[in-house]
Amino acid sequence: MIRQESNFDEWFDFKKYWSQKVSKNDRVYYHNIFNWGNQLSNFKPVAGSFEPNLPCVALWSLLVIRSDGEVQLCNVDFKIKYPLGNINSNFIEEIWKSKRLNEMRKIHLDGRKPSIDICKKCNVWDEPKDKESISSEYADKTEIK
């Protein structure tokens, strides 16, 4: 469920309904509406972030490859402001372990996330304060080798 102003109070009914219809391997959860890397005008958040200054999990957990082979920094970098390479000319492993991506990871780990404009106020992966379960584990502070 993407929780937003229009359905904010529906979470518990949603969870009750869908929890009865899924297997034990499925997860029913909500994510608050997000601002696409602070790229939406007139964005209205529905809740505060749990820890907005944590390093972004996307830098260690996903690699976005477009249909043309271009690899962007993350899923919200839809304008490819931070290109990482192209799988037509680089191996995926090269891009994943690249100096450029490791620099971005280091920026996040060093608490300089706001120096990257799409990360500055991005709330895509932020955990809401009122979420039932909040992960206590975050990216290991080591670069990928």
Side-chain angles (χ1 to χ4, degrees):
M1 174 179 172
I2 300 297
R3 193 170 70 157
Q4 51 199 310
E5 198 171 288
S6 64
N7 67 2
F8 189 84
D9 296 325
E10 297 173 17
W11 162 241
F12 291 106
D13 290 336
F14 180 91
K15 182 178 180 183
K16 182 179 177 184
Y17 176 82
W18 285 106
S19 293
Q20 298 170 15
K21 299 190 178 300
V22 299
S23 77
K24 65 179 182 168
N25 296 320
D26 295 318
R27 181 175 161 211
V28 177
Y29 67 100
Y30 72 83
H31 195 293
N32 288 325
I33 190 170
F34 53 85
N35 64 10
W36 284 93
N38 200 36
Q39 297 176 91
L40 296 181
S41 57
N42 301 319
F43 172 75
K44 290 171 56 177
V46 295
S49 296
F50 175 63
E51 290 190 36
N53 297 317
L54 287 174
C56 180
V57 299
L59 298 175
W60 288 268
S61 62
L62 62 94
L63 193 71
V64 179
I65 303 170
R66 295 167 36 112
S67 61
D68 61 0
E70 289 296 320
V71 179
Q72 59 205 53
L73 181 62
C74 70
N75 53 319
V76 301
D77 189 12
F78 58 89
K79 294 182 181 177
I80 312 183
K81 292 182 176 183
Y82 297 92
L84 298 176
N86 189 302
I87 63 165
N88 295 311
S89 55
N90 300 99
F91 291 110
I92 292 173
E93 183 178 9
E94 287 178 293
I95 296 170
W96 184 250
K97 295 178 179 180
S98 69
K99 181 179 177 184
R100 174 91 164 133
L101 187 51
N102 278 323
E103 286 171 353
M104 294 296 179
R105 292 175 178 130
K106 182 158 178 34
I107 288 169
H108 276 243
L109 290 172
D110 290 346
R112 296 180 292 125
K113 179 174 160 179
S115 68
I116 303 169
D117 68 330
I118 65 170
C119 303
K120 188 174 192 172
K121 293 183 181 177
C122 181
N123 68 339
V124 171
W125 298 105
D126 290 352
E127 297 283 354
K129 289 180 181 178
D130 56 347
K131 196 157 185 174
E132 291 177 302
S133 63
I134 296 174
S135 174
S136 61
E137 295 184 27
Y138 300 99
D140 184 9
K141 292 190 175 192
T142 59
E143 84 176 24
I144 294 182
K145 297 180 180 177

